[in-house]
């Protein structure tokens, strides 16, 4: 006696199971000479067709839905349901030319990848328009790439990368147009490996330092601003995620009088940057630090009356801390003031004063708080 699976292969050669338990199937039905329809079936009670659901890139017409509803799926097996579904598709008008050869190549590569990389996630949407690859690295960072699929236009590339989780670079610059899903996956794994040092560094900084910016740090940000002194001085470290051995870009934030000491120390020690050591070790060496200050608990900060001087002090112009993901980076040098400002906010304030002066890219004027002289950089256009 011929089994149902054998009959299914004979009658529906383009129907394939997506899991060993035969609970999910993918199918391509030939609609007419130039048109095919892609369908995904969920068959929770296989081989019985009860509770079968489907997702298709084409909607059935009302007549097609009535054909399915006229039969009790609980009394059908899945093969009988497929025959019924094919009959219902006859009500769907011709829409597009589906390239079965391209889909077959995609499906073969999909099966090979899922078997070879069981820890990676491979997901395509119901209309078979996009395909997502995801991998969790050693830092528990979810890396993803979303691919646009094209099985209808023979003149266009089958796979085009739409988006990725990788920082600061457009995905199309990372992934050239490819005709192989396996090649894209290999490129993806290579980029995940390249970014592992970047992820490890940020994870270590977030764990061991008092991070003041960005406000909600993630691995999509390529910088961290950390406190380096109890005198309200912090340093913004900007990384090249794709080359962590490269010297980062540094920017100091805090009272100008105090910053000069740190800038001088950094300038003298900059040649001692050692790519064999991690970033925190290097920063401590370059700035002659023994340790990084840890962020105090709110109750401790209140007891020590340090709220005025910690990096949560808001800008005295816009009265917010983060503006476009930037913390206040200018401080009034007058001892009894020490108010902080975003450079952009302070510039906007000073530029409206009738007695402000602009020289060599710097604007000077009266502090909005104490009316003593304060200065900031003129923003570049």
């Amino acid at each position: 006696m011929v089994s149902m699976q054998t009959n299914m292969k004979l009658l529906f050669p383009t129907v394939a199971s997506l899991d060993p338990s035969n609970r999910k199937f993918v199918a391509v039905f030939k609609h007419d000479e130039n048109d095919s329809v892609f369908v995904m079936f969920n068959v929770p009670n296989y081989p019985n067709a009860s509770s079968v659901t489907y997702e298709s890139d084409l909607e059935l017409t009302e007549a097609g839905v009535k054909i399915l509803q006229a039969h009790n799926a609980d009394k059908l097996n899945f093969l009988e349901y497929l025959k019924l579904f094919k009959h219902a598709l006859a009500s769907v008008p011709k829409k597009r030319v589906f390239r079965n050869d391209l889909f077959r190549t995609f499906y073969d590569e999909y099966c090979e990848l899922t078997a070879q990389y069981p820890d990676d996630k491979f997901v395509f949407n119901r209309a078979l328009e996009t395909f997502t690859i995801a991998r969790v690295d050693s830092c528990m960072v979810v890396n993803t790439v979303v691919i646009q699929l094209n099985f209808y236009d023979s003149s266009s590339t089958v796979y085009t990368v739409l988006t990725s989780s990788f920082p600061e670079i457009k995905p199309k610059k990372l992934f050239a147009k490819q005709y192989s899903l396996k090649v894209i996956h290999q490129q993806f794994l290579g980029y995940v490996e390249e970014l592992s040092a970047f992820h490890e560094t940020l994870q270590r900084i977030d764990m061991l330092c008092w991070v003041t910016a960005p406000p909600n740090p993630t691995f999509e940000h390529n910088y961290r601003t950390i406190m380096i002194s109890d005198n309200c001085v912090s340093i913004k470290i900007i990384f090249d995620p794709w080359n962590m051995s490269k010297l980062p870009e540094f920017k100091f934030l805090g009272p100008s009088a105090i910053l000069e000491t740190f800038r001088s120390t950094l300038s003298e020690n900059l040649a001692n940057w050692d790519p064999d050591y991690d970033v925190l070790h290097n920063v401590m060496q370059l700035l002659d630090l023994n340790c990084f200050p840890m962020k105090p608990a709110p109750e401790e900060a209140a007891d020590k009356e340090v709220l005025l001087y910690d990096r949560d002090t808001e800008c005295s112009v816009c009265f917010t801390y983060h503006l476009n993901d930037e913390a206040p980076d200018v401080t009034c040098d007058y001892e009894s003031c020490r108010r902080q400002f975003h450079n952009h906010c302070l510039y906007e304030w000073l530029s409206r004063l009738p007695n402000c002066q602009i020289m060599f890219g710097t604007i000077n004027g009266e502090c909005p708080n104490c009316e003593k002289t304060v200065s900031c950089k003129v923003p570049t256009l």
Side-chain angles (χ1 to χ4, degrees):
M1 183 176 180
V2 180
S3 67
M4 187 180 75
Q5 283 191 333
T6 301
N7 273 328
M8 191 164 17
K9 289 181 180 179
L10 292 173
L11 296 174
F12 298 98
T14 57
V15 175
S17 174
L18 292 178
D19 63 56
S21 61
N22 293 323
R23 297 294 186 267
K24 293 184 179 181
F25 289 82
V26 60
V28 177
F29 290 94
K30 193 169 182 60
H31 188 209
D32 61 27
E33 185 175 345
N34 296 313
D35 193 18
S36 295
V37 180
F38 170 81
V39 186
M40 288 184 62
F41 292 99
N42 289 307
V43 193
N45 300 309
Y46 181 89
N48 188 275
S50 61
S51 302
V52 167
T53 59
Y54 66 88
E55 295 178 332
S56 174
D57 62 337
L58 290 181
E59 291 187 12
L60 292 179
T61 61
E62 185 177 347
V65 173
K66 287 182 178 180
I67 291 174
L68 291 180
Q69 292 177 341
H71 295 75
N72 186 355
D74 292 344
K75 297 181 179 180
L76 302 176
N77 61 39
F78 185 51
L79 177 59
E80 293 169 332
Y81 185 87
L82 288 175
K83 294 177 182 178
L84 185 65
F85 191 88
K86 185 177 181 180
H87 180 53
L89 279 177
S91 65
V92 179
K94 179 180 178 181
K95 186 177 181 182
R96 297 171 295 183
V97 177
F98 189 91
R99 296 289 304 279
N100 287 289
D101 54 336
L102 298 180
F103 172 75
R104 176 51 59 185
T105 301
F106 163 79
Y107 181 70
D108 289 344
E109 290 190 318
Y110 165 80
C111 292
E112 186 175 339
L113 289 173
T114 53
Q116 189 173 355
Y117 300 93
D119 293 333
D120 290 354
K121 299 297 183 183
F122 304 93
V123 181
F124 42 82
N125 72 342
R126 66 176 186 174
L128 203 65
E129 294 170 339
T130 61
F131 183 76
T132 302
I133 304 173
R135 166 170 284 207
V136 179
D137 66 17
S138 58
C139 294
M140 303 306 294
V141 179
V142 180
N143 301 271
T144 60
V145 60
V146 180
I147 306 163
Q148 182 179 29
L149 304 174
N150 174 33
F151 298 122
Y152 296 96
D153 183 3
S154 60
S155 64
S156 178
T157 305
V158 180
Y159 308 118
T160 303
V161 174
L162 295 178
T163 61
S164 75
S165 61
F166 302 137
E168 299 299 318
I169 284 187
K170 294 181 179 179
K172 290 182 180 179
K173 291 184 178 180
L174 291 177
F175 298 89
K177 288 187 176 180
Q178 295 291 344
Y179 293 87
S180 169
L181 189 63
K182 290 193 292 185
V183 171
I184 291 179
H185 182 255
Q186 287 302 313
Q187 289 179 328
F188 170 74
L189 296 186
Y191 297 142
V192 171
E193 181 63 27
E194 281 188 59
L195 288 174
S196 61
F198 172 67
H199 291 157
E200 289 172 4
T201 297
L202 292 193
Q203 193 174 65
R204 182 173 168 80
I205 291 175
D206 293 343
M207 186 184 307
L208 299 178
C209 298
W210 180 352
V211 177
T212 63
N216 298 301
T218 70
F219 294 104
E220 294 183 4
H221 298 103
N222 71 328
Y223 74 95
R224 290 293 188 269
T225 302
I226 61 174
M227 291 292 292
I228 57 174
S229 166
D230 292 330
N231 294 324
C232 202
V233 177
S234 59
I235 186 171
K236 181 177 182 180
I237 310 173
I238 306 172
F239 302 99
D240 178 353
W242 304 97
N243 184 6
M244 290 301 289
S245 62
K246 177 182 176 182
L247 181 69
E249 179 182 344
F250 299 109
K251 181 180 180 181
F252 290 102
L253 307 173
S256 302
I258 302 176
L259 294 187
E260 289 305 317
T261 301
F262 283 98
R263 289 195 180 104
S264 177
T265 302
L266 176 64
S267 179
E268 292 175 2
N269 296 334
L270 204 55
N272 296 327
W273 174 269
D274 190 341
D276 291 333
Y277 289 101
D278 66 29
V279 171
L280 293 182
H281 177 88
N282 272 299
V283 170
M284 291 178 64
Q285 294 291 324
L286 298 185
L287 299 179
D288 292 336
L289 300 176
N290 293 321
C291 62
F292 293 103
M294 298 299 293
K295 185 174 184 177
E299 59 274 11
E300 293 177 0
D303 292 341
K304 296 178 182 179
E305 297 182 344
V306 300
L307 290 179
L308 178 62
Y309 296 103
D310 80 20
R311 290 307 295 169
D312 291 331
T313 304
E314 62 190 10
C315 170
S316 293
V317 174
C318 69
F319 300 108
T320 61
Y321 180 63
H322 289 106
L323 178 67
N324 298 327
D325 217 17
E326 292 290 339
D329 53 357
V330 179
T331 305
C332 177
D333 290 334
Y334 194 61
E335 189 66 34
S336 63
C337 180
R338 296 295 193 195
R339 292 298 177 90
Q340 300 175 21
F341 311 92
H342 297 111
N343 189 92
H344 175 78
C345 296
L346 184 57
Y347 169 76
E348 290 294 325
W349 176 278
L350 296 179
S351 63
R352 287 169 169 75
L353 299 179
N355 58 346
C356 72
Q357 296 180 338
I358 299 179
M359 297 179 62
F360 305 109
T362 299
I363 185 170
N364 301 281
E366 294 180 353
C367 171
N369 180 62
C370 68
E371 298 185 351
K372 300 294 183 180
T373 301
V374 68
S375 63
C376 68
K377 294 180 180 179
V378 177
T380 56
L381 297 178

